[in-house]
Amino acid sequence: MPSFDTVLEPDLVEVRNACDQASKEIATRFDFKGSSAQVEHNDKAITLTADSDFQLGQVRDVLMTKAAKRKIDPRFFDPGKIEKISGDKVRQVITVKVGIPQELAKKITAAIKGSKLKLTAAIQGDVVRITGAKRDDLQAAMAVLRKDIEEAPLSFNNFRD
């Protein structure tokens, strides 16, 4: 049976490189001199720290620009709330989406069922496996998912005949 896996996985090496480049630019920019603006990257979370809300917005813009240059889809980033820390300083944690969450997996299976193609979609952890008898149906399913699911940059791998 031909099948493929629908996954949500960014290139974590490129995410780290974008964070490193953003840190370097923040360290050298004139408008950030003498401030506590910084970008920290831990596994699947990016922490932005700045002196004010405005400056935090600028740090976020620098990070998103560097990520875009490295061809990282901005939909992989899930910005959290801006929280105040000591004094006037603010912090924001941006989580990097890895793996398909349960509600998105249900939406993917519903989109496959609604497409009237003879396919089955099975949720397997943080991956959705789509199986069908014809290869053309699987390619049509990829097109349906690209069109219908806009909130996440889905990718398809493990294509088997």
Side-chain angles (χ1 to χ4, degrees), residues 43-62:
D43 280 342
K44 296 180 180 107
I46 301 168
T47 306
L48 308 177
T49 310
D51 290 337
S52 65
D53 288 339
F54 176 73
Q55 198 174 49
L56 185 72
Q58 288 182 323
V59 171
R60 190 178 334 108
D61 289 345
V62 168

Side-chain angles (χ1 to χ4, degrees), residues 14-44:
E14 291 296 332
V15 171
R16 176 173 295 285
N17 290 340
C19 290
D20 290 344
Q21 282 185 342
S23 293
K24 286 179 185 176
E25 182 173 330
I26 289 169
T28 59
R29 272 185 41 178
F30 178 74
D31 55 340
F32 291 121
K33 287 271 194 245
S35 71
S36 64
Q38 64 182 13
V39 176
E40 295 175 0
H41 181 262
N42 302 328
D43 280 342
K44 296 180 180 107

Side-chain angles (χ1 to χ4, degrees), residues 32 42 50 70 75 79 96 106 140 156-157:
F32 291 121
N42 302 328
R70 295 204 153 270
R75 296 177 290 178
V96 180
K106 289 178 183 177
F156 310 105
N157 63 12

Side-chain angles (χ1 to χ4, degrees), residues 124-138:
Q124 298 178 341
D126 57 355
V127 173
V128 178
R129 176 158 293 157
I130 299 172
T131 311
K134 297 180 184 173
R135 189 176 186 170
D136 292 340
D137 287 346
L138 293 177

